[in-house]
Amino acid sequence: MRVLTAFLAVLLGISALAAPIKIGITQIVDHPALNAVRQGVIDVLTEAGYVEGEDVVYIFGNAQGDFTVAISIAQNFLAQKVDLVVSIATPTSQAAVQVFKDTDVPVVFSAVTDPVGAGLTGYPNVTGTSDMIDVRGDLELLLELVPGLKKVGIVYNPGEANSAILTDMAIKAGKDLGIEIVPAAAESTAAVPLAAQSLLGRVQALYVTTDNTVVSALEAVVDAAVKGKLPLLVADPTSLERGALVCTGFDYYDHGRMTGEVVLAILKGTPPSEIPVKYQKGTQLWLNLDMAERIGFIFPGSIKDKATGLLFAGKRFTLEK
Amino acid sequence: MILELSGIWKVFRLGTEAVEALCGVDLALEEGEFVTVIGSNGAGKSTLLNVIAGTCRPNRGRVRIGGKDVTKWPAHRRARWIGRVFQDPLRGTAAHMTLAENLALALKKGRRGFSLLLTPARKRYLRKLLEPLGMELERRLGERVGHLSGGERQAVTVLMATLARPKLLLLDEHTAALDPANAEKVLEITERLVGEARITTLMVTHRMDQALSLGNRLIMMHKGKIRLDLSAEEKERLSVADLVDLFRRLGVTDDALLLAGNGTNNAGDAYS
Amino acid sequence: MTLFLPAVEQGLIYGLMALGVYISFRVLAFPDLSVDGTFPLGAAVAATLIIAGWDPFLASLVAAGAGMVAGAFTGILSTKFRIQGLLAGVLTMIMLYSINLRIMGRPNLPLLGRPSALSTAVEALGLPYTWGLVVVAAILVLGIKLILDLFFHTEIGSAMRATGDNPHMVQAFGVNPETMVILGLALANGLVALSGALVAQYSGFADVGMGVGTIVAGLASVIVGEMLLRPRGVFWATVAVLLGSSLYRGAILVALRYGSVLGFTASDLKLLTALVVLGALMAPAIRARLRGEEA
């Protein structure tokens, strides 16, 4: 009898050791950028030796735009006793922190523009990465592109927390730089075309930040830019092929990898309280020569020197540094 | 004087046509009178009732109830003094509420407050009210009115219309949609309730025999005007055939009216 | 069962909203779409006040009051301005989107770490947080439900029910149907806004977009409850609403938990929820069929 108990105990012990780590990954909506983040996290872990199915098990949650479902997803993770939570985007992260704040399950947020403003800081088990873009840098870039630039139009969704913050920042930075920001609100993707059109004749350049709504309907903004022969700067590199004249920002896949590094550090034993929130650095710069030709735009030489790469004849070319 | 209509004109505009539903109607009703109203289709009977009740505003003329000029009053304000029963048995009751609730709502016509609608005392009172109807409804107080038959619902509607002691009771062909047995029952109930409380009543009917046998006054309308006004003694002497003859002499040739028995309104509610 | 508690918890808190939808949709027979705007209105008002330092109970009450004003507005649009009910609600909802943004000053207000009416009550009662929340929610929501039941048995409440049933008839008994509609919509949206305020405190944030789909969730709750309970009378009708609300939330949680087992991906959540609800609705019919009875 005792042999049996001992045998069972050893078996249990081994199974406990070998039990795969459960990681819950939740995002607010299906979106290429957010999906890229998720992939980045998974890839980093896979490369570090955490094989899916053996060492680690992922539980995915997609709130499909419903904030209250985000809470339910987090509660589900709690019920399933996950070992770590990765929450992508602001509302999802708020829901995750609300559910896990009094536990010691680590929560790593990602793609949150303003973690402090969203109330995510100050919890010992919470840390993450921010996708705050360099708004001021983008405006300075526009100044270089368009001599005598006085007015810049921004199409944005006032209902998106990230976007509202970035637009506010743009307005303030603009004041410093002597640029007037003309905002055009679009509450849904359907409202984007009208908002973009309303800026024609009133501004000299168009700027789109990491606004999920507007980026989803980017083609409408491109249409307006082409119509008004206006330079369009989008803070999202994947928008290059879709018609932006200039793209800054970073690849969300890279952002996901950065998040993955944080997750890795925690899995290896560093407590989240010792990992400060990481802000995405290293913005890229892509120039769309095809679009430039279409609207008759000539890039100044100084810009070309800084570019990460070009789009020409529909193909991307990375420039040597 | 319970009811006084002076110079009532009502014109309906249907597209480019103008229909004169009421052309200068004067009518006076004393307390306790039971007036039957008869007339061809389009004579203006239902419009008359609508104007009195307030669901229809006259273009010209005045309506006085109990001496008060109510011409400009909306229907729910006049409702305090008026009881009304329609041809459609489904119209007078709330189908999803119980018999008890319907009756209790009809008890009061003024301000409603936060007191409980159905106290045990009230329920006892309602049971007592239902017994004399002879339809065994006093046992079905907790049932939804929607489960009652057409005849039962109409009987309940008549009871509800008289509960709060209205000054005036308006009956708009209220037995026309019932089978003969139920029609008889409802008529009996009507007569008794009206007689007991001495309620001034205006009853539109399509049946000349009813018009002659019921009440103490008969009015005949044709093309928006009152053409005949017979007192109790005058109508006692007449038979249905006499009445038909009278009409023909006045120029009424409506077959539907003359065939005492078919009174369905195929012109709709707007004008009768 | 780890899913049971959250389902009941959420079912009760959202149940207040479902009760509001019951009042407008069933009692008044008025399709009130403004709830998509009044739900986040409640959240916005409560969140803004709590962040400004107000006591969360008071903030929630004020939020309910804001909802009542909005509901009355829809009622006035419909009765005095003769705007069709559906459109009146839509107009209010559209207006509230901008108004809610204005109230909060930004599209998202975090309430993490802020006092919440529900958790304060749990602590005051000395209950453990795991099941204390359900108890508090139950006391609050069932209390409100019973008051509502009582109200609908008063003279005014009965007049309101009759108005939804037969507006012409009530006129004949001195009830002004317009007043009843305005009053009823105010009451309904007050409940919806209160629900929004509590949900914001429960979720830890108020977001201007959190009203999307409220009417759908409300109607689903009301109808599921009705089909399962076939309630007679107001008392059981409100029980059915709360039951339906808990089932709806439970369906979402079940879909989340077991969806992957059946091969569904995370994006199939809404489809799955609908299927679970459908299953719940068909269950009695299937059971009867198996027994050879008439459904």
Side-chain angles (χ1 to χ4, degrees), chain B residues 187-201:
Chain B
L187 223 46
E188 199 190 293
I189 291 169
T190 309
E191 271 188 294
R192 190 166 43 78
L193 289 171
V194 164
E196 272 168 14
R198 294 179 43 82
I199 301 175
T200 315
T201 306

Side-chain angles (χ1 to χ4, degrees), chain C residues 30-279:
Chain C
F30 189 108
D32 182 18
L33 291 184
S34 55
V35 300
D36 271 28
T38 45
F39 185 79
L41 173 67
V45 170
T48 308
L49 290 177
I50 290 176
I51 289 181
W54 282 49
D55 165 66
F57 290 97
L58 207 56
S60 306
L61 276 174
V62 174
M68 292 181 74
V69 171
F73 181 71
T74 305
I76 292 174
L77 279 183
S78 162
T79 54
K80 306 292 182 200
F81 291 85
R82 307 240 174 266
I83 298 179
Q84 235 215 0
L86 215 56
L87 187 58
V90 167
L91 285 172
T92 306
M93 168 186 49
I94 293 177
M95 284 192 232
L96 281 175
Y97 187 84
S98 302
I99 293 175
N100 292 341
L101 263 178
R102 275 270 184 155
I103 292 174
M104 297 203 290
R106 28 186 291 198
N108 178 300
L109 273 184
L111 286 173
L112 297 169
R114 303 269 180 184
S116 138
L118 294 167
S119 43
T120 313
V122 172
E123 277 158 28
L125 288 174
L127 299 168
Y129 205 75
T130 39
W131 50 268
L133 200 60
V134 184
V135 172
V136 166
I139 296 176
L140 175 71
V141 175
L142 291 177
I144 292 181
K145 169 219 173 333
L146 288 171
I147 295 177
L148 258 183
D149 290 341
L150 205 66
F151 170 72
F152 282 120
H153 281 110
T154 62
E155 293 181 353
I156 263 192
S158 303
M160 195 180 282
R161 284 161 56 209
T163 305
D165 203 325
N166 191 340
H168 295 290
M169 166 214 158
V170 299
Q171 269 194 324
F173 293 107
V175 174
N176 186 345
E178 295 190 347
T179 314
M180 288 294 122
V181 166
I182 295 174
L183 220 69
L185 287 181
L187 179 62
N189 284 282
L191 285 171
V192 171
L194 179 62
S195 182
L198 293 176
V199 166
Q201 293 170 65
Y202 177 79
S203 312
F205 63 95
D207 191 295
V208 74
M210 66 197 279
V212 174
T214 304
I215 185 72
V216 171
L219 285 176
S221 307
V222 170
I223 294 175
V224 167
E226 270 175 13
M227 290 203 70
L228 287 177
L229 228 52
R230 306 252 181 222
R232 278 196 45 186
V234 175
F235 179 86
W236 289 108
T238 47
V239 169
V241 169
L242 293 176
L243 183 71
S245 178
S246 303
L247 274 167
Y248 182 72
R249 297 292 146 191
I252 296 178
L253 288 167
V254 166
L256 278 172
R257 178 78 174 78
Y258 298 106
S260 49
V261 170
L262 295 168
F264 287 97
T265 68
S267 320
D268 296 326
L269 178 62
K270 297 229 155 138
L271 173 64
L272 257 184
T273 309
L275 286 176
V276 175
V277 170
L278 202 63

Side-chain angles (χ1 to χ4, degrees), chain B:
Chain B
M1 195 100 61
I2 289 288
L3 175 70
E4 198 184 334
L5 298 173
S6 359
I8 299 285
W9 277 84
K10 179 68 191 177
V11 182
F12 288 105
R13 291 193 193 284
L14 295 152
T16 45
E17 281 181 39
V19 179
E20 291 182 332
L22 296 172
C23 313
V25 169
D26 298 301
L27 181 62
L29 254 65
E30 302 282 350
E31 186 173 351
E33 287 197 278
F34 187 144
V35 186
T36 48
V37 181
I38 195 148
S40 52
N41 274 345
K45 309 190 297 287
S46 277
T47 313
L48 184 72
L49 292 194
N50 283 332
V51 166
I52 296 172
T55 49
C56 174
R57 279 270 194 95
N59 300 105
R60 252 187 279 159
R62 269 195 303 218
V63 180
R64 274 199 210 81
I65 299 180
K68 274 220 168 70
D69 187 335
V70 300
T71 323
K72 297 233 159 69
W73 287 25
H76 69 88
R77 219 174 139 196
R78 298 187 213 185
R80 217 173 302 158
W81 298 321
I82 297 179
R84 194 163 178 191
V85 184
F86 295 91
Q87 187 178 86
D88 182 358
L90 304 179
R91 247 181 108 164
T93 45
H96 294 104
M97 295 173 72
T98 64
L99 183 54
E101 289 172 327
N102 270 275
L103 288 171
L105 274 173
L107 278 176
K108 230 194 200 177
K109 286 206 170 171
R111 289 237 143 209
R112 280 170 175 78
F114 289 99
S115 51
L116 223 58
L117 185 72
L118 289 173
T119 55
R122 253 199 204 145
K123 277 201 209 150
R124 281 195 294 265
Y125 178 57
L126 293 177
R127 228 171 269 133
K128 271 216 293 253
L129 286 175
L130 285 171
E131 275 164 22
L133 289 184
M135 294 171 116
E136 308 238 312
L137 288 171
E138 61 276 9
R139 295 210 220 126
R140 299 167 75 181
L141 271 179
E143 255 185 68
R144 286 205 188 161
V145 161
H147 294 154
L148 299 177
S149 72
E152 288 166 335
R153 281 180 82 159
Q154 200 66 316
V156 170
T157 309
V158 173
L159 177 60
M160 282 168 65
T162 56
L163 268 181
R165 298 284 175 263
K167 285 202 168 84
L168 184 61
L169 181 63
L170 303 174
L171 305 168
D172 197 347
E173 301 199 42
H174 71 300
T175 58
L178 303 174
D179 62 86
N182 273 311
E184 213 43 57
K185 193 101 228 310
V186 172
L187 223 46
E188 199 190 293
I189 291 169
T190 309
E191 271 188 294
R192 190 166 43 78
L193 289 171
V194 164
E196 272 168 14
R198 294 179 43 82
I199 301 175
T200 315
T201 306
L202 201 57
M203 174 171 145
V204 172
T205 176
H206 58 289
R207 290 179 41 175
M208 287 198 272
D209 56 324
Q210 262 183 22
L212 281 175
S213 57
L214 294 169
N216 46 34
R217 189 170 159 190
L218 184 148
I219 283 176
M220 194 271 272
M221 293 185 69
H222 183 55
K223 292 209 170 82
K225 287 200 170 78
I226 295 180
R227 304 301 296 274
L228 263 187
D229 193 341
L230 305 171
S231 69
E233 305 86 45
E234 289 171 312
K235 76 183 181 98
E236 241 186 325
R237 284 185 255 126
L238 295 172
S239 70
V240 174
D242 295 330
L243 208 51
V244 171
D245 203 40
L246 250 180
F247 289 173
R248 215 176 276 128
R249 272 192 269 146
L250 287 168
V252 179
T253 48
D254 191 316
D255 289 327
L257 178 66
L258 301 182
L259 294 167
N262 172 13
T264 42
N265 253 337
N266 46 20
D269 268 3
Y271 54 110
S272 128

Side-chain angles (χ1 to χ4, degrees), chain A residues 30 60-73 75-76 79-81 90-95 97-98 101 114 116-120 123 157-162 164-165 187, chain C residues 2-3 6 9-10 14 39 97-98 101 105-113 129 199-205 207-212 249 252-253 256-258 266-271:
Chain A
D30 228 318
F60 297 108
N62 181 339
Q64 301 192 290
D66 195 331
F67 299 92
T68 52
V69 174
I71 286 272
S72 301
I73 292 176
Q75 286 172 330
N76 185 32
Q80 296 207 33
K81 298 196 175 38
T90 306
T92 338
S93 304
Q94 290 173 315
V97 172
Q98 170 76 346
K101 63 181 190 282
D114 184 6
V116 178
L120 301 173
Y123 297 94
N157 180 354
E160 259 185 56
N162 305 346
I165 291 167
E187 269 112 26
Chain C
T2 42
L3 283 182
E9 226 168 65
Q10 291 175 15
Y14 282 98
F39 185 79
Y97 187 84
S98 302
L101 263 178
R106 28 186 291 198
N108 178 300
L109 273 184
L111 286 173
L112 297 169
Y129 205 75
V199 166
Q201 293 170 65
Y202 177 79
S203 312
F205 63 95
D207 191 295
V208 74
M210 66 197 279
V212 174
R249 297 292 146 191
I252 296 178
L253 288 167
L256 278 172
R257 178 78 174 78
Y258 298 106
S267 320
D268 296 326
L269 178 62
K270 297 229 155 138
L271 173 64

